Amino acid sequence: NCSFCATARQGFSRNLSTAEIIGQVFIAARHLGQNPKTHRHITNVVMMGMGEPLLNFEAVVAAMRLMLDDNGYNLGRRRVTLSTAGLVPAIDRLREELPVSLAVSLHAPEDDLRDVLVPLNRSYPLATLLDACRRYVAGNPHDQITFEYVMLDGVNDSPAHARKLVKLLQGIPSKLNLIPFNPVEGAEYRCSTPAAILEFRQILQRAGY
């Protein structure tokens, strides 16, 4: 139910099965002509799609196990990324069962704003979510969390927001993915200007991100 998300407006129908999820990888591999004698093969997979992957935990994890299996697609765990809006209990469960790369749809550096943009934040506010992120990478010095941040004009894109974001993520091995908003019909949001995105990015880069 992210307020800027076109998919959220469509409502919930059902979850995909493991077969439907891995079937997408199968079709992509077939189009690439993947076989043991070719160099064209799938190297990375991101689990995101239309909805929250961690709300379909069993099917998603089973599909990812096939992607990592030596007799499946033989991907390294850092080559498979799961994107979540921040379902904290499932993040902890994923860490125990299959710690693939984690991407978090953050989109705001403060709770009041994130409550509006990502309503799940009301159940798992930023402090709780970021503690889960710290647990997720603990003991794995080469792991990072990717934080996704959609750029919304006049909403979350000011230099002050960037500085708050830098402070918020201190101590978490992380990288940031700044995503220009893709306008959709009926949306109340607009994409940040190129100048605003550039300034935002420069603040993050100067802080080492």
Side-chain angles (χ1 to χ4, degrees):
N1 287 327
C2 296
S3 61
F4 55 83
C5 179
T7 302
R9 298 164 184 257
Q10 299 177 21
F12 176 75
S13 177
R14 66 174 179 86
N15 285 321
L16 295 179
S17 68
T18 297
E20 289 171 319
I21 296 167
I22 203 67
Q24 296 177 54
V25 182
F26 174 84
I27 292 295
R30 188 169 69 179
H31 277 292
L32 284 171
Q34 179 168 331
N35 65 66
K37 297 181 180 180
T38 68
H39 295 292
R40 300 188 74 223
H41 58 275
I42 291 172
T43 59
N44 297 75
V45 175
V46 181
M47 309 292 289
M48 48 192 312
M50 302 171 73
E52 168 56 58
L54 291 179
L55 287 175
N56 189 19
F57 190 94
E58 302 293 346
V60 165
V61 168
M64 293 192 299
R65 289 191 192 282
L66 291 171
M67 296 173 202
L68 272 56
D69 194 281
D70 290 349
N71 295 314
Y73 291 91
N74 195 30
L75 296 171
R77 69 175 184 86
R78 293 190 183 95
R79 297 280 186 170
V80 177
T81 300
L82 184 141
S83 176
T84 177
L87 200 65
V88 168
I91 292 173
D92 286 329
R93 185 180 172 193
L94 184 67
R95 175 175 57 89
E96 296 296 328
E97 295 195 20
L98 196 69
V100 296
S101 292
L102 189 69
V104 174
S105 295
L106 195 64
H107 309 308
E110 53 198 8
D111 281 318
D112 287 348
L113 178 56
R114 195 167 189 265
D115 284 350
V116 175
L117 299 179
V118 186
L120 184 62
N121 194 72
R122 298 167 192 162
S123 298
Y124 307 106
L126 284 169
T128 302
L129 172 59
L130 295 180
D131 281 346
C133 291
R134 291 183 183 93
R135 291 192 295 272
Y136 197 86
V137 296
N140 294 295
H142 300 295
D143 287 0
Q144 288 184 315
I145 306 289
T146 298
F147 290 100
E148 298 154 340
Y149 197 99
V150 66
M151 301 298 296
L152 302 171
D153 183 36
V155 176
N156 65 350
D157 63 346
S158 72
H161 288 122
R163 288 188 287 270
K164 286 181 181 179
L165 188 57
V166 166
K167 186 175 181 180
L168 183 73
L169 300 182
Q170 282 180 348
I172 303 175
S174 55
K175 56 185 177 181
L176 290 118
N177 181 15
L178 302 183
I179 306 169
F181 176 63
N182 185 28
V184 294
E185 186 176 351
E188 60 183 287
Y189 301 107
R190 299 187 307 274
C191 182
S192 303
T193 65
I197 296 174
L198 179 61
E199 183 176 11
F200 198 97
R201 184 184 72 176
Q202 288 174 336
I203 292 170
L204 299 177
Q205 288 179 328
R206 285 196 296 268
Y209 291 101

